[in-house]
């Protein structure tokens, strides 16, 4: 499953859907917190919403569909279908991640995966997706791999994935049709990192997997879903936001769920 929706918080969305957001601004940082962005500071991942963003005309339906998914159960994957992220140093030896039998033979993808600096102890996620993300700040490159597997001899294979070069200047979207997610949006950008929870600062939108998706809307550039809005699905690329008048402290949430740069920053939510 590679379907993805981005959300500001791991809680039921109680507000509208915005496809137009405020002009990008540098994300605010809580006092004493060090923040490292994986992509360009002007990326939509880090944009603050204005007080009155333009709402999608289908906002009510989109929110109802999202809340129907949430009512069936919400969780955070920390093993199966999680996103293992390895940040590697300069000089990390590279490996060829070959095409697995029956998977994509695209020559451009082959080139992207021909020299990936995967550390020897790397472990893809459990579950059928076997996701794996490699971040190398020294080369300003990110690799995201779908169905990454290593055999007993230490040889790596994959079904799909992609590479982002000049990552610090990128908006965090893989060029069509590459990447790990079903939408083309980067999981490195979207994932909640342990370091962010420890710092008390998640300065970006987060990804939410949903069971039913419709054709994409920007910033997504593709979709792995064939459903429809009328059928209860959500277009990948949709942005959600929490109602800015919602008092999060009244919901009995954990400190991690309340993580919001001390209430100063409410990022968008996208599929």
């Amino acid at each position: 499953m590679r379907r993805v929706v981005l959300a500001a918080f791991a809680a039921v969305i109680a507000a509208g859907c915005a496809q137009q957001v405020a002009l990008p601004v540098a994300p605010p940082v809580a006092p004493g917190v060090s923040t490292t962005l994986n992509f360009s500071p002007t990326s939509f991942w880090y944009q603050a919403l204005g007080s009155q963003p333009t709402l999608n005309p289908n906002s009510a339906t989109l929110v109802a569909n999202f809340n129907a998914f949430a009512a069936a159960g919400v969780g955070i994957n920390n093993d199966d279908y999680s996103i293992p992220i390895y940040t590697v140093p300069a000089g990390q030896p590279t490996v060829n991640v070959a095409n697995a039998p029956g998977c994509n033979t695209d020559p451009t993808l082959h080139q992207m995966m021909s020299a990936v600096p995967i550390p020897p102890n790397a472990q893809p996620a459990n579950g059928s997706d076997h996701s794996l993300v490699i971040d190398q700040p020294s080369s300003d490159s990110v690799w995201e791999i779908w169905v990454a597997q290593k055999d007993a001899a230490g040889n790596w294979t994959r079904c799909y994935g992609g590479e982002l070069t000049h990552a610090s200047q990128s908006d965090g979207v893989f060029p069509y049709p590459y990447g790990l997610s079903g939408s083309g949006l980067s999981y490195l950008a979207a994932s909640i990192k342990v370091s962010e929870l420890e710092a008390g600062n998640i300065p970006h939108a987060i990804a939410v997997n949903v069971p039913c998706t419709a054709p994409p809307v920007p910033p997504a550039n593709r979709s792995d879903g064939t459903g429809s809005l009328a059928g209860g699905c959500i277009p990948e690329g949709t942005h959600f936001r929490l109602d800015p008048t919602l008092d999060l402290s009244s919901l009995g949430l954990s400190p991690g769920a309340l993580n919001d740069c001390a209430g100063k920053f409410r990022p968008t939510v996208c599929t």
Side-chain angles (χ1 to χ4, degrees), residues 34-48:
S34 175
T35 300
T36 300
L37 306 183
N38 297 111
F39 300 104
S40 169
T42 60
S43 169
F44 64 90
W45 291 105
Y46 314 119
Q47 287 183 11

Side-chain angles (χ1 to χ4, degrees), residues 4 9 28 47 57 70 75 111 139 202 228 247 264:
V4 127
F9 299 91
Q47 287 183 11
Q111 180 63 33
S139 65
I202 303 176
S228 67
D247 180 6
K264 297 177 183 178

Side-chain angles (χ1 to χ4, degrees), residues 88-89 91-97 113-119 136 139 143 156:
V88 299
Q92 175 69 49
T94 63
V95 299
N96 176 48
V97 184
M113 295 287 123
S114 63
V116 185
I118 302 179
Q136 189 176 49
S139 65
W143 294 262
W156 284 91

Side-chain angles (χ1 to χ4, degrees), residues 91-126:
Q92 175 69 49
T94 63
V95 299
N96 176 48
V97 184
N99 179 63
C103 292
N104 194 285
T105 58
D106 181 331
T108 299
L109 179 61
H110 174 73
Q111 180 63 33
M112 289 178 172
M113 295 287 123
S114 63
V116 185
I118 302 179
N121 64 337
Q123 296 183 28
N126 290 323

Side-chain angles (χ1 to χ4, degrees), residues 119-135:
N121 64 337
Q123 296 183 28
N126 290 323
S128 59
D129 282 356
H130 297 298
S131 301
L132 181 65
V133 173
I134 305 296
D135 176 28

Side-chain angles (χ1 to χ4, degrees), residues 154-211:
N155 299 311
W156 284 91
T157 60
R158 47 80 192 158
C159 256
Y160 212 67
E163 178 188 10
L164 279 175
T165 58
H166 308 292
S168 63
Q169 302 171 43
S170 165
D171 60 0
V173 180
F174 283 83
Y176 179 89
Y178 304 105
L180 166 57
S181 73
S183 60
L185 304 181
S186 168
Y187 271 124
L188 175 62
S191 297
I192 301 171
K193 288 83 168 174
V194 172
S195 59
E196 293 171 345
L197 293 175
E198 291 175 339
N201 181 31
I202 303 176
H204 57 80
I206 65 175
V208 175
N209 286 310
V210 294

